[in-house]
Amino acid sequence: EEHLTEDFVTRVMSPLVKALAGLARKLSPGGARDRVAKKLVFAGSPTGWDAEKVLAFKGMALILGGPLGYSLAQLLNRSPAISLLLGGMGAMTLFLIPGAMLGQAVIRRQEAIRRALPDTLDLLSISVEAGLGFDAALMQVSRKVPGALSQEIGRMIHEMQLGSSRANAFRHLADRITAEEVRGFVLAMIQADVFGVSIANVLRAQSRELRIRRRQRAEERAMKIPV
């Protein structure tokens, strides 16, 4: 009786997804799982999602898409050949949807990080010039500025608090972000840390360069609008 009082998702869908996730783990090649796991990292590691669940939903979509496409063709009084074709197209379409949604999540998050980087570097530069240490400035940005980049900076700070060196924490930050601007910033900060260069000067130079790049991207998009 207690089990029957639970909602449909808890009673049926959650066990089904777990079973499909286990099946997907066994049947999917290791490379496919690794690629999905990497995309999930780029998307910000959404809570409750892992590579096996994404593969499970792709498998479920593949199984359901065929009968749905075939049934739709039959309702439209199509020939058996057309029905089979629509069934295959339905299966393939639904199979691609989870991957497409994950890809869009990656694009949106990485673009948000790219846009936030110049302003974040400005705040870091101002904080360091005002007398804060670099780690304290990073914590200030993580607390005061909302967004994906601040979340990644907060994760980097947490790694350093757990004992990771600043250079390794920066490298891990670059591994979680696809934007070339972030990779350039990480390389500059690691070099500044190794060679003892003024961090404030590096931040100011990086911010200036990133603003130039952002303006160039905007101009490029503006030139493409008539086309």
Side-chain angles (χ1 to χ4, degrees), residues 30-124:
R33 184 196 177 282
D34 292 342
R35 286 192 297 271
V36 173
K38 193 171 185 179
K39 282 187 176 182
L40 285 170
V41 171
F42 291 153
S45 300
T47 304
W49 285 92
D50 53 33
E52 284 79 11
K53 284 186 179 180
V54 174
L55 292 174
F57 276 107
K58 289 171 75 72
M60 186 186 302
L62 186 64
I63 294 172
L64 296 178
L68 287 175
Y70 185 85
S71 300
L72 178 62
Q74 289 295 301
L75 289 175
L76 297 175
N77 296 321
R78 300 302 182 185
S79 64
I82 297 296
S83 299
L84 290 175
L85 178 61
L86 288 178
M89 292 176 61
M92 185 56 62
T93 300
L94 291 184
F95 176 78
L96 294 175
I97 285 177
M101 292 176 61
L102 180 57
Q104 285 299 312
V106 171
I107 292 172
R108 287 195 300 268
R109 182 178 177 82
Q110 298 301 319
E111 182 62 23
I113 290 174
R114 183 182 290 109
R115 290 185 177 185
L117 185 58
D119 296 333
T120 301
L121 291 187
D122 280 342
L123 182 56
L124 280 174

Side-chain angles (χ1 to χ4, degrees), residues 138 142 149-159 161:
L138 287 173
S142 178
L149 182 57
S150 296
Q151 293 173 3
E152 294 295 346
I153 290 176
R155 184 173 176 180
M156 182 183 72
I157 293 171
H158 185 62
E159 288 182 7
Q161 291 173 342

Side-chain angles (χ1 to χ4, degrees), residues 117-123 125 129 181 185 199-217:
L117 185 58
D119 296 333
T120 301
L121 291 187
D122 280 342
L123 182 56
S125 177
E129 290 174 348
E181 293 87 345
F185 163 67
I199 290 180
N201 292 336
V202 173
L203 289 172
R204 195 179 304 109
Q206 285 288 309
S207 177
R208 188 182 308 113
E209 180 182 353
L210 289 173
R211 288 188 182 281
I212 292 173
R213 289 188 181 182
R214 186 165 67 175
R215 183 166 58 250
Q216 289 173 344
R217 285 199 308 271

Side-chain angles (χ1 to χ4, degrees), residues 132-202:
L132 283 178
F134 183 60
D135 293 348
L138 287 173
M139 294 182 66
Q140 180 80 359
V141 169
S142 178
R143 288 197 301 264
K144 299 296 184 182
V145 181
L149 182 57
S150 296
Q151 293 173 3
E152 294 295 346
I153 290 176
R155 184 173 176 180
M156 182 183 72
I157 293 171
H158 185 62
E159 288 182 7
M160 290 191 292
Q161 291 173 342
L162 291 177
S164 179
S165 66
R166 183 189 293 174
N168 286 335
F170 266 115
R171 291 189 184 97
H172 296 160
L173 173 68
D175 291 339
R176 297 192 298 270
I177 298 175
T178 61
E180 289 298 326
E181 293 87 345
V182 175
R183 296 178 183 274
F185 163 67
V186 166
L187 180 60
M189 296 310 301
I190 292 175
Q191 290 177 343
D193 194 31
V194 171
F195 297 110
V197 180
S198 172
I199 290 180
N201 292 336
V202 173

